[in-house]
Amino acid sequence: MTGFGKSGLAPTRRAALTLIGAGALAVGGIVPARAAAGDDEVLTEAKVLRDPDTPVAGNPDGNITIVEWSDYNCPYCRKLEPELRQVVQDDGKVRLVMKDWPILGPVSVTAARSALAAKFQGKYHQAHDAMIGVSSRLTEPRINELLAAAGVDMDRLKRDLTGHAKDIDAILKRNNEQAEAFGFHGTPSFIVGKYRVPGALSMAEFEQVIADARKAKMN
């Protein structure tokens, strides 16, 4: 990641590069975490890892954090989801931060806003799982059908979409700013510990980069 230092996430490219270990570079797709100059206000540890409005899965007290930027209409996100969850479950010490990044059109925005609105009734994860688990491209009627089937109170959802519109849009804005600052160009994209992962990995590759991230954390 844009390296952890005493003051949080180091904002400069030079600082980030000094914290990259050789082990992670051996994994396909792993590149040094980078932040452009001036991104220090966007890529703070609190905003990237500890945003209280961003849903978390896995072990909330885990010793390694994976941050995922995803889109519900992204076929690669859908394919990866069960494997990533399996890795997180098997490891037992991974904290998974889930950043909705709807970049594939208006329906993706509707899906992301609906999932975040479901959070206000304690149903974010049910909404997320329902939408990320389908094999076909989402439509607005399909979103409503999936969420209702997942136990989301649709009347309350509509109220929360309106009543919390500014809060939801602010979360999506923060997620987008962070993804752009890290130089991500598509979904899924990840930060694993101190490493930037712009794309999907296999289960074995995720396990390897998690191990590398733990080693880097100890150094």
Side-chain angles (χ1 to χ4, degrees), residues 5 11-12 23 37 40 51 54 60 71-72 93 97 101 103-104 115 118-119 126 145 157 159 161 177 187 200-201:
T12 66
D40 52 316
D51 186 336
T54 300
D71 185 307
Y72 290 107
K93 295 182 180 179
V97 178
W101 189 28
I103 57 175
L104 298 177
K119 178 174 66 75
Q126 291 90 329
E145 177 185 333
L157 185 78
R159 294 195 301 270
L161 279 168
E177 289 174 345
T187 54
L201 299 180

Side-chain angles (χ1 to χ4, degrees), residues 39-104:
D39 286 331
D40 52 316
E41 292 301 318
V42 173
L43 300 182
T44 65
E45 180 175 356
K47 290 179 180 178
V48 176
L49 301 186
R50 304 287 173 183
D51 186 336
D53 296 324
T54 300
V56 173
N59 184 342
D61 300 315
N63 58 19
I64 284 295
T65 296
I66 295 177
V67 187
E68 177 186 18
W69 283 263
S70 64
D71 185 307
Y72 290 107
N73 261 328
C74 168
Y76 302 103
C77 299
R78 293 172 182 162
K79 181 179 180 181
L80 176 71
E81 180 77 5
E83 296 185 356
L84 175 60
R85 291 303 184 94
Q86 190 65 53
V87 169
V88 170
Q89 179 179 323
D90 290 348
D91 184 282
K93 295 182 180 179
V94 173
R95 178 175 174 268
L96 178 62
V97 178
M98 305 166 71
K99 305 248 184 194
D100 290 287
W101 189 28
I103 57 175
L104 298 177

